[in-house]
Amino acid sequence: MKIGAVNVTFSYGTKEVLKGISFEAHESEVLSIIGPNGSGKSTLIKCIDGILKNNSGDIYLDGENIKNIPLKERAKFIAYVPQSSCEAFPQKVFETVLMGRKPHLGWSVERKDLKVVENILEYMKLSEISNCYLDELSGGQKQKVLIARALAQEPSILLLDEPTSSLDIKHQFEVLNIIKNISRHRKTSVIMVIHDLNMASRFSDELLLLKDGKIFSSGKADTVLTKDNIKSVYEIEVSAVNIKNYTCFIPTKMVDEKIQLGNEIII
């Protein structure tokens, strides 16, 4: 299933945040939205989900305007994982993930709903903690639970707003690997907001680079993440460092300082 936007605009009062955004996200691919703070990343993903109502322009799901799809029906296709954690809810993991079945439920929870949750918990390697309360979990485990809850909707489109923002480096890799596998194995279109350019480059199929509410560049990582683009958008000079066939970007000042200290830089 494909989702796209055509000339989407959005304003908070008189402040225009999105200024004519157009893009497409495809099945089995990860599209990452990147850009500096205030560029409109989270606003865009909330407009895609319908949390925010765009001022103009349209969002299409397989060619159909989502405005014409009832909210409950839309929830069967689009799942959203917000930035905030689920710490405030005194629930067990299983109950939390089961909440994701709401768009599919009739009068009561059926055996097939429980089976879906069981399968997702196993897929996400959460079965052993399914009876634990959320406040007993680590940050990485909580983030996996939120993703599991979204997967319980059996969505074709998965939206994630900064899924690794509060995680350490180990759990960042774990969560991003899960997201990548979801797109491949479940044939899901994944759209995520992410700050780390190196992580975005490694785990994304396509990138959407925003600046001041507009698309500055879009496409594959090697096209979007250039030193000139990064300097223009983030106002910082970077050096490209190749490590085991992955290009990483490091602020040039840091590289110069390391060279002055005599430390070796692997190119």
Side-chain angles (χ1 to χ4, degrees):
M1 184 168 280
K2 181 171 65 176
I3 191 166
V6 179
N7 293 324
V8 168
T9 68
F10 180 84
S11 300
Y12 291 106
T14 59
K15 181 177 174 57
E16 193 177 16
V17 180
L18 300 179
K19 307 169 184 177
I21 301 291
S22 299
F23 73 91
E24 282 190 350
H26 300 277
E27 182 181 285
S28 300
E29 290 188 353
V30 177
L31 170 69
S32 288
I33 304 171
I34 57 176
N37 291 338
S39 58
K41 302 184 299 299
S42 293
T43 298
L44 176 57
I45 209 165
K46 288 176 181 177
C47 284
I48 297 168
D49 189 55
I51 296 170
L52 297 175
K53 305 297 181 185
N54 45 297
N55 299 110
S56 63
D58 295 292
I59 296 166
Y60 294 92
L61 187 62
D62 266 1
E64 184 174 1
N65 197 314
I66 63 169
K67 293 177 182 176
N68 301 326
I69 305 174
L71 285 175
K72 185 171 182 180
E73 192 67 20
R74 195 187 308 172
K76 294 178 181 178
F77 301 105
I78 303 176
Y80 170 68
V81 180
Q83 288 184 39
S84 57
S85 70
C86 44
E87 292 181 37
F89 299 97
Q91 287 184 318
K92 292 184 177 181
V93 169
F94 192 95
E95 296 166 344
T96 302
V97 177
L98 183 60
M99 289 173 62
R101 294 300 298 163
K102 187 176 180 180
H104 302 276
L105 294 179
W107 291 104
S108 61
V109 176
E110 299 182 5
R111 176 58 196 164
K112 65 179 180 180
D113 299 303
L114 299 176
K115 188 63 177 177
V116 167
V117 173
E118 290 170 1
N119 290 340
I120 288 171
L121 289 171
E122 184 176 353
Y123 176 77
M124 297 289 291
K125 298 180 180 179
L126 294 170
S127 298
E128 291 185 359
I129 61 170
S130 63
N131 287 316
C132 293
Y133 286 94
L134 297 178
D135 59 6
E136 299 173 345
L137 307 183
S138 67
Q141 289 173 321
K142 288 173 185 173
Q143 192 64 24
K144 288 169 68 176
V145 171
L146 287 176
I147 295 172
R149 183 178 66 184
L151 290 182
Q153 292 178 227
E154 297 182 300
S156 300
I157 313 294
L158 179 60
L159 310 175
L160 304 111
D161 194 356
E162 298 188 36
T164 61
S165 60
S166 60
L167 305 182
D168 60 39
I169 189 70
K170 173 186 174 182
H171 288 104
Q172 286 182 39
F173 269 91
E174 183 180 10
V175 167
L176 289 172
N177 271 312
I178 288 169
I179 291 168
K180 188 77 170 179
N181 288 334
I182 288 168
S183 72
R184 296 291 188 266
H185 300 153
R186 292 176 172 261
K187 296 184 178 180
T188 304
S189 299
V190 176
I191 303 175
M192 69 173 173
V193 171
I194 186 168
H195 272 291
D196 191 313
L197 301 185
N198 295 320
M199 291 292 194
S201 174
R202 179 165 185 164
F203 290 98
S204 308
D205 298 290
E206 298 280 333
L207 297 176
L208 203 64
L209 175 60
L210 302 186
K211 180 183 180 182
D212 297 328
K214 296 180 180 179
I215 296 176
F216 185 88
S217 180
S218 63
K220 302 294 183 184
D222 58 357
T223 300
V224 176
L225 291 178
T226 66
K227 291 189 285 186
D228 287 342
N229 282 353
I230 294 171
K231 183 178 179 180
S232 295
V233 173
Y234 291 91
E235 300 178 354
I236 186 171
E237 290 190 3
V238 296
S239 296
V241 179
N242 188 283
I243 302 175
K244 294 185 178 179
N245 297 322
Y246 282 102
T247 299
C248 298
F249 293 94
I250 300 173
T252 300
K253 186 177 179 181
M254 290 177 61
V255 176
D256 291 341
E257 287 173 352
K258 287 188 176 182
I259 291 173
Q260 290 169 12
L261 291 172
N263 293 337
E264 182 181 359
I265 300 296
I266 302 174
I267 304 296

